[in-house]
Amino acid sequence: MAESATQAIGVFDSGVGGLTVLRALQAELPGENYIYLGDTARLPYGTKSVETVVRYALQAADELVARDVKALVIACNTASAAALGALRERFAPLPVIGVIEPGAEAACAASASGRIAVIATEGTVRNGAYQQAIARLRPDARVQAVACQLFVALAEEGWLDGEVAEAAAARYLQPLFADRVAAPDTLVLGCTHYPALRGVIAATAGSAVRIVDSAETTARATRTILQADDLLQPARSPGKVRFLATDGVARFASVGGRFLGRTLDASEIELIDL
Ligand code: DGL
């Protein structure tokens, strides 16, 4: 069936982190309807093998496609790194948008020195997707990628500042910025959970470092792709959002509200099984 402008945009992540992308999408494309799926039962994706993440991403996408979406946004760096190709292949010609290319573009545009640090999950760092995407856009760039897996747990726990978050940030980030002369001038938040910890990350990196988050660039990329396919819904009135989670709707609501920037009630979230 051909897609039409009135259908929703499907968005998924392993948990609530992708709500930072949903928020940017709603700001960029307020007239659209969205269905957001957080695979909270199987979080984290970042420590799993590529094969497992591909399987989970295909299941999440199948669920959204069965709900008749006109495009898919993979609001998870780990799943974008592992499964973008597999999802595009399975669902063609449905537009499938990942967060890595837009994040790499934003990093290359932000960096003056070409020294770019990427912080992400173990899976994203191991896969090398950011390193490759940045090298394609800017072959002279020097990229250092560091896995900061604990940040996902801190974000899901809602421990966004205070001594535990500060200690984790210091442990992960200080080695990157120890030599102020050779240090990266740009730091990519290569996991959609990390914008929630932006304050503590920025304070540890130092004020000279530009922090890049792929949410806004992904939202702009989504607009461009939908426009090209004539699938944009004019913003006559605010669109609707439906939330799906594979576990813990009460927790999804209490933590997710912080990521989304508004109060979420557990009654807004449908519990599903994949
Ligand atoms: N939010 C996800 C990402 O952008 C992954 C978090 C996880 O499940 O490990 O990579």
Side-chain angles (χ1 to χ4, degrees):
M1 193 191 73
E3 276 70 58
S4 78
T6 53
Q7 291 167 276
I9 299 173
V11 183
F12 75 91
D13 177 43
S14 58
V16 294
L19 293 171
T20 55
V21 178
L22 178 64
R23 187 177 180 170
L25 283 164
Q26 287 184 297
E28 179 74 25
L29 302 168
E32 299 291 340
N33 297 315
Y34 298 92
I35 307 178
Y36 180 92
L37 191 167
D39 190 8
T40 39
R42 304 190 292 195
L43 173 128
Y45 282 8
T47 51
K48 310 250 168 20
S49 68
V50 172
E51 294 72 23
T52 299
V53 174
V54 171
R55 184 158 51 86
Y56 289 177
L58 287 169
Q59 288 169 344
D62 277 341
E63 178 71 32
L64 291 168
V65 171
R67 289 169 190 255
D68 198 26
V69 295
K70 64 180 174 186
L72 277 173
V73 177
I74 314 174
C76 173
N77 292 264
T78 312
S80 298
L84 180 65
L87 291 172
R88 284 192 169 150
E89 197 177 314
R90 170 159 339 179
F91 299 109
L94 187 78
V96 182
I97 299 121
V99 286
I100 304 254
E101 285 290 337
E105 264 171 44
C108 292
S111 177
S113 68
R115 288 193 300 273
I116 298 171
V118 178
I119 54 171
T121 64
E122 281 171 37
T124 304
V125 170
R126 207 183 327 116
N127 175 295
Y130 264 106
Q131 297 90 315
Q132 289 157 25
I134 292 171
R136 274 196 297 277
L137 294 166
R138 192 164 169 177
D140 67 314
R142 293 225 311 277
V143 183
Q144 285 174 276
V146 177
C148 302
Q149 193 58 42
L150 260 189
F151 284 169
V152 175
L154 287 169
E156 288 280 331
E157 190 65 23
W159 290 10
L160 309 181
D161 49 27
E163 58 181 330
V164 180
E166 283 165 16
R171 177 82 183 257
Y172 286 131
L173 303 179
Q174 271 171 2
L176 277 172
F177 298 100
D179 176 352
R180 288 281 161 195
V181 180
D185 68 354
T186 301
L187 176 65
V188 183
L189 305 181
C191 170
T192 54
H193 281 73
Y194 296 179
L197 292 153
R198 189 181 180 121
V200 80
I201 292 170
T204 310
S207 55
V209 177
R210 297 189 69 174
I211 309 284
V212 169
D213 156 7
S214 58
E216 280 168 25
T217 32
T218 300
R220 285 200 293 274
T222 305
R223 167 190 285 282
T224 306
I225 288 168
L226 292 185
Q227 211 150 26
D229 289 351
D230 207 15
L231 289 173
L232 273 188
Q233 170 96 306
R236 288 195 197 97
S237 56
K240 296 193 177 61
V241 192
R242 289 170 63 194
F243 297 96
L244 314 173
T246 52
D247 197 14
V249 292
R251 188 178 177 77
F252 184 105
S254 62
V255 181
R258 288 190 212 120
F259 287 72
L260 198 56
R262 72 159 174 91
T263 311
L264 259 179
D265 191 86
S267 62
E268 293 177 68
I269 302 148
E270 183 187 341
L271 183 65
I272 59 154
D273 198 18
L274 291 179

